[in-house]
Each structure stands twice: as C-alpha cells, then as structure tokens.
Amino acid sequence: ALEARIASAAVAVAAARRQLVAALGRAGAAAADPLPGVRLELVGEVEGWLEEAPAAAVEERLAGALRASRELDAQTGGAAHGPHRSDLRVLDAADGEPAARGSTGRQKALLVGLLLSHARLRGELMGELPILLLDEVAAHLDGSRRAALAEALVGLGAQAWLSGTDRRLFAALEGRATFLEIDNGTIVDDERA
C-alpha cells in the first residue's frame, strides 16, 4: 500500500513537470528575443515510462520497482526509483549544445532566456507577470546580449529590478528605466536617468 501511494504522488509530480517543461519550451519558441533559445529535456526513469504508457500503468510499474528495491532502499536510506532521481537538461535550441558545455556568458544568456520564457508563461497562464529580480545579470553578457536583454525586458512589460556595480552595463536601458544609486547606505534617485 505504501509503494502504491508513493507511486501515485510520484507519477503526478513527473507528469506535472513534463507539462511545465513543454509549456516553457513553447513559450521560449514563441519568443522573438535575440537571446539564445532554450530547449529543455526531462531525463529520468519515470518520465521515460510516461512517454511509453498511460499514468495508471506507470504508477503500477513504479510501485513494483519500489517494492522490489525496498530492502536495498532501507540499507541506503533512499529510494532507487522515482522522479527525485530525474534531471533537467538545458540545451541551446539553435545547435543542441548542452548548457553545461557552454561558456559562462552563454550559460547566463540561456538562463536569462529561460527566465524570460517563464515570465511570459506566467503572464499567459495566470494573467500577471512576475516581478523580476536580476542580480548582476549583465556582468557575464556581451554588449549585444545586454541590449537584447534590455529590449526583452521592456517588451515583456514586467517590473524588473537589475543590480550591478557598473552603470555602463545598463546603457541600453538609458531613458527607459529609473536608475537608483546607493551612496553610503542610502538609495538616491540618479539624476542622469
């Protein structure tokens, strides 16, 4: 009975993750951002089973696998099967290159693209955009990607707070954003904005 309850919840989690990843993929593909597109893949045993069979059959299969590994799981202190063992693979949509192999700048650009896709999806599904808090987001982006980020943020229409120590990194937002400066622990409206 315990394995059946675990399997039911685990398959529901895996199915919900698959839906979210697919929706994020559609939101990213629909974007016209010059930032790199992101392709997401869920890699895991349960997700693989869901590709092949309906959820009820996957629940039975997972419950059986959990029963079969009960003794080993007791020895190791963890479950050998389930969605907790799954992974999210992030790839550049243009060339299929895994994000893990990219430079820091490319990884950050992919992450920003994913973040913007999530914001768009939230707006579409919930009717409201999130407040974006982006700490040092421009530090690892080249000039064209910083400009692309500025255009994407302005086009998105969400409230976004960006932090950084070098105002020049936010030049693409001049005249379109409020700049604040911290001076001796006090936030001051920057007259140059």
Side-chain angles (χ1 to χ4, degrees), residues 7-8 11 15 17 30 39 45 52 54 63-64 71 83 88 93 97 102 107 119 125-126 131 136-137 159 162 176 184:
S8 176
V11 170
R17 284 180 183 167
R39 191 173 84 226
E45 180 180 53
E52 304 165 358
E71 188 175 316
L88 177 66
E97 184 74 21
Q107 288 177 358
L125 296 178
M126 301 178 80
I131 295 173
E136 290 288 348
V137 70
Q159 185 180 123
L162 289 75
R176 303 191 291 172
N184 289 325

Side-chain angles (χ1 to χ4, degrees), residues 3-188:
E3 284 88 0
R5 285 194 317 226
I6 292 170
S8 176
V11 170
V13 166
R17 284 180 183 167
R18 289 179 71 225
Q19 288 178 333
L20 176 61
V21 165
L24 280 171
R26 288 190 301 275
D33 298 333
L35 292 163
V38 176
R39 191 173 84 226
L40 303 173
E41 297 175 354
L42 275 173
V43 181
E45 180 180 53
V46 177
E47 290 79 10
W49 294 344
L50 283 169
E51 292 284 328
E52 304 165 358
V58 174
E59 284 181 25
E60 288 180 26
R61 187 172 180 181
L62 179 56
L66 289 168
R67 272 191 300 280
S69 67
R70 186 185 300 171
E71 188 175 316
L72 176 62
D73 291 347
Q75 291 173 5
T76 62
H81 303 280
H84 65 289
R85 304 192 66 69
S86 301
D87 201 5
L88 177 66
R89 186 178 300 155
V90 179
L91 305 121
D92 188 313
D95 59 15
E97 184 74 21
R101 291 192 195 147
S103 67
T104 302
R106 187 172 188 183
Q107 288 177 358
K108 194 160 230 182
L110 288 166
L111 180 60
V112 168
L114 178 59
L115 177 84
L116 293 172
S117 294
H118 180 262
R120 276 189 293 278
L121 180 62
R122 181 181 168 103
E124 176 186 315
L125 296 178
M126 301 178 80
E128 61 183 35
L129 293 166
I131 295 173
L132 301 175
L133 306 173
L134 306 172
D135 184 34
E136 290 288 348
V137 70
H140 294 287
L141 299 178
D142 62 25
S144 63
R145 286 187 174 146
R146 285 193 300 270
L149 173 61
E151 292 304 317
L153 288 173
V154 169
L156 182 62
Q159 185 180 123
W161 290 78
L162 289 75
S163 68
T165 57
D166 185 351
R167 183 186 174 103
R168 292 173 295 178
L169 296 178
F170 304 100
L173 289 168
E174 290 287 346
R176 303 191 291 172
T178 299
F179 285 75
L180 302 173
E181 184 178 322
I182 298 176
D183 184 17
N184 289 325
T186 302
I187 299 176
V188 251

